[in-house]
Amino acid sequence: MPPSASTLAPTGKLRAALIASNPVLVTRRPDGTLGGVSVAVAQALAAHLAVPVELRPYDNPTQYNESLATDDWDIGLAARDPSRAEHLAFSITFMEVGNGYVARAGATPTSADDVDRAGVKIAVAKGSAPHNVLQRLIKNAEIVPVPGGFEPARDALATGKADVYGENLHLAHRIADALPGARVLPGQFNVVQMAVGVRKRASAALPTVDAFVNKMRSDGTVQKAIDEAGLRGVRVPQPS
C-alpha cells in the first residue's frame, strides 16, 4: 500500500461519503445500486490507491453535515463549502455546478436577479451548499428550508409552500419537466465547486488527491460520468 493510501484509508479501504439526494452527484440505477459522478470519482481514486472502496451514502445534506464530526468515512464527495472546512481539507475542483431557480406556475419572478424581493418564498435543501449561499445573499425574500431531494423540492412548489426552489440547474430542470407550468428562470445565483473533502488528519495526502483529480479531469473520467448521468448545467474545469 502506498504511503498516501495508508494516510487516506487507514482501515485498508477508502470509505467515501455521498449525498444521495443530489442527482448531480449520485444516481440510482434500476437495480438499486448507486452510480453518478461522485461514485465514479470515489471508485477511480480507490483503484489508484489500490484499496477497495466502501460507499457511505447519506440521505440528505443535513445528515452528511452531521457525519462530519464522526470518523465514519475518509473522503466526502460534495461541495467545497466553507461551513465544512473545520473538518475537511478540499482537493481541487472536479466539477462545477451552476445554481439557479425553478419557479412554480404563476410565480412572479422572471429571472434569478428578480427573486430577492419581499413576499417571494425561496425553498432550498436544508444544510446544502445552495442553502448556505442563499443565507448570505438573500436580503428581502423569505428562505424556506426543506429536506433535500427531488420530491420535497417538487412538493414545495406544487403546494405553494414556496414560489421558487434554489438548487443546481440539473435538478431545477428535472423539477420543471415534472411540474406543469413550472419553469427554470434565466440566470444563476452561484457556481458550486464539487471537490474531494479529505479528513484534516489526512491533509498530507492532499497533493496526491489533487494530482489524481487533475488526471481525471484531463483523461475524460469525469466527463464520461457526467454524460452517463445525463447532467445539465455542469462542466469539468480545465486541467491545471
Side-chain angles (χ1 to χ4, degrees), residues 89-139:
F90 295 103
S91 75
I92 59 173
T93 305
F94 63 78
M95 181 171 65
E96 292 181 340
V97 181
N99 280 183
Y101 299 103
V102 52
R104 62 170 174 80
T108 53
T110 57
S111 72
D113 293 336
D114 193 34
V115 166
D116 189 14
R117 291 188 292 115
V120 175
K121 293 183 178 180
I122 306 169
V124 65
K126 183 178 180 180
S128 65
H131 186 192
N132 291 333
V133 170
L134 289 174
Q135 284 181 312
R136 296 194 298 269
L137 292 180
I138 297 301
K139 307 300 181 188

Side-chain angles (χ1 to χ4, degrees), residues 18-28 34-39 57 77:
L18 314 169
I19 301 177
S21 63
N22 189 340
V24 164
L25 290 169
V26 179
T27 57
R28 196 171 291 278
L34 299 179
V37 178
S38 62
V39 173
L77 289 302

